[in-house]
Amino acid sequence: MRLTRFTDVALRVLMRLAVVKGEDPPTTREVAATMQVPYTHAAKVVARLQHLGLVEARRGRGGGIGLTEAGRSASIGGIVRELEGPGDVVDCEGTTPCPLRSACRLRVALRQAEEAFYASLDPMTIEELVAAPTGPLLIGITGRPGTG
């Protein structure tokens, strides 16, 4: 199983926002720079996370992005499922359907493995992901005074 770049960036953005305490909320541009991702990609990710209710965004002077309470306590497995969307690990029905698809045991095994992957992430939250040593490292790389 391999996560899309979009999901990877989304998890990193959520982790960065989870360590924002006692500071002005960062902008999408600042988070993108800190996480070393293109701004345009980060902006799309933030819009999707906002749509999911995990992030709140304020425009203009004093604006920025922040993690909602739902975002703090959301299951990593649930977030990844939502961002990755439905679909099989392999495309058995693609433009050239697999001749084994009607009796394939591999497809079933891969679905079970995918569900086990998600199930292992289900009990974890963003707050847990930013526990030491990750949280202090995130705080250290922001380059903003008053973080912490």
Side-chain angles (χ1 to χ4, degrees):
M1 169 100 198
R2 184 180 192 128
L3 297 181
T4 61
R5 177 91 168 124
F6 190 89
T7 300
D8 173 44
V9 171
L11 292 172
R12 289 194 276 156
V13 166
L14 291 169
M15 291 169 66
R16 167 58 185 107
L17 295 177
V19 298
V20 174
K21 293 177 174 62
E23 66 176 278
D24 291 333
T27 65
T28 301
R29 193 169 300 282
E30 290 170 336
V31 171
T34 300
M35 297 289 93
Q36 299 179 352
V37 298
Y39 167 74
T40 54
H41 199 64
K44 290 175 189 174
V45 164
V46 167
R48 178 80 166 114
L49 294 174
Q50 187 176 8
H51 177 76
L52 294 173
L54 303 173
V55 168
E56 56 189 4
R58 291 181 308 283
R59 292 185 179 268
R61 186 173 167 94
I65 56 176
L67 198 58
T68 64
E69 283 306 313
R72 259 179 220 295
S73 60
S75 159
I76 300 300
I79 294 168
V80 172
R81 277 185 189 91
E82 187 65 40
L83 296 175
E84 290 294 311
D88 289 325
V89 175
V90 292
D91 186 11
C92 302
E93 304 294 332
T95 52
T96 307
C98 176
L100 303 175
R101 70 185 178 281
S102 64
C104 183
R105 296 181 70 175
L106 176 61
R107 187 178 190 177
V108 172
L110 290 172
R111 281 188 187 147
Q112 290 171 342
E114 180 181 34
E115 186 48 43
F117 170 78
Y118 287 132
S120 70
L121 296 174
D122 282 340
M124 298 178 74
T125 65
I126 293 295
E127 280 290 309
E128 291 171 330
L129 286 182
V130 297
T134 307
L137 176 64
L138 279 165
I139 292 168
I141 64 173
T142 62
R144 297 179 86 198
T147 306

